Amino acid sequence: MSPEQTTLETATGADTPEIGVTLETQTHRAHVRYAASETPGVIWYDPRDGRERYVCDRTVTMADFESMDDRVLTSVVVRPHRPGEAVDGRYCVVRNRNGLETFTRSIDGERVPGLVGIGSYRTADVFDSLEAAQEYCREHVAGYADAPRKDAVAARGER
């Protein structure tokens, strides 16, 4: 492992990884998603395009909601604004939240309205740079600023 990789893996959320690192083997873009799902509380990043994922270190239950309007942040994704297209330098921050919703379900062939369950919601904003997107996350996402950073591609390649 090179000194740069060691530095990036032990860096905190205030540090920025080197973007555009060339890899010797081809891997797919889901490494960040897989690693974050398996290890919450860590910022997993992809050095090829700057994509990041941070899963909050908690499980959401019905007790987390006092009203139908409450939303609980579950994860944050930082990704290129238009992945797969010409790089415009902009990055998108996608916030995944859970909240209560009312729905109708069929139980024993009968439609039962007004049931309450936990639903998923997404909101997103576009920033002019990766640094601006990361700064937003440090300021608005609890735990992000102090979370350790890990290279998901390197970690998944070791398995």
Side-chain angles (χ1 to χ4, degrees):
M1 184 177 288
S2 72
E4 290 98 17
Q5 287 175 322
T6 303
T7 302
L8 290 175
E9 288 178 357
T10 58
T12 65
D15 300 314
T16 303
E18 180 183 352
I19 303 304
V21 174
T22 303
L23 300 175
E24 293 179 16
T25 59
Q26 286 286 13
T27 58
H28 56 84
R29 302 267 182 231
H31 288 306
V32 172
R33 186 179 73 238
Y34 295 156
S37 296
E38 294 168 359
T39 315
V42 175
I43 299 169
W44 289 94
Y45 69 90
D46 186 330
R48 298 169 294 185
D49 64 359
R51 144 184 343 255
E52 297 180 356
R53 189 178 203 84
Y54 175 75
V55 174
C56 299
D57 194 11
R58 61 178 299 198
T59 302
V60 178
T61 65
M62 294 290 278
D64 291 315
F65 306 102
E66 293 181 12
S67 75
M68 293 296 285
D69 296 327
D70 287 349
R71 299 289 182 264
V72 176
L73 185 69
T74 56
S75 67
V76 176
V77 176
V78 177
R79 62 172 179 77
H81 178 236
R82 300 202 184 270
E85 296 182 16
V87 177
D88 62 4
R90 297 187 304 165
Y91 278 77
C92 185
V93 173
V94 179
R95 293 170 303 282
N96 297 300
R97 294 184 169 101
N98 283 349
L100 296 180
E101 65 179 27
T102 304
F103 58 95
T104 301
R105 177 173 277 180
S106 178
I107 299 176
D108 294 330
E110 191 174 324
R111 294 184 61 76
V112 179
L115 297 174
V116 175
I118 297 176
S120 298
Y121 303 88
R122 283 188 177 176
T123 55
D125 290 305
V126 177
F127 295 86
D128 290 333
S129 68
L130 175 59
E131 293 78 19
Q134 290 170 328
E135 182 62 28
Y136 172 85
C137 291
R138 284 192 290 272
E139 291 176 5
H140 295 93
V141 178
Y144 189 94
D146 298 321
R149 301 183 69 87
K150 292 191 178 182
D151 180 334
V153 176
R156 300 294 295 184
E158 294 173 1
R159 291 186 180 187

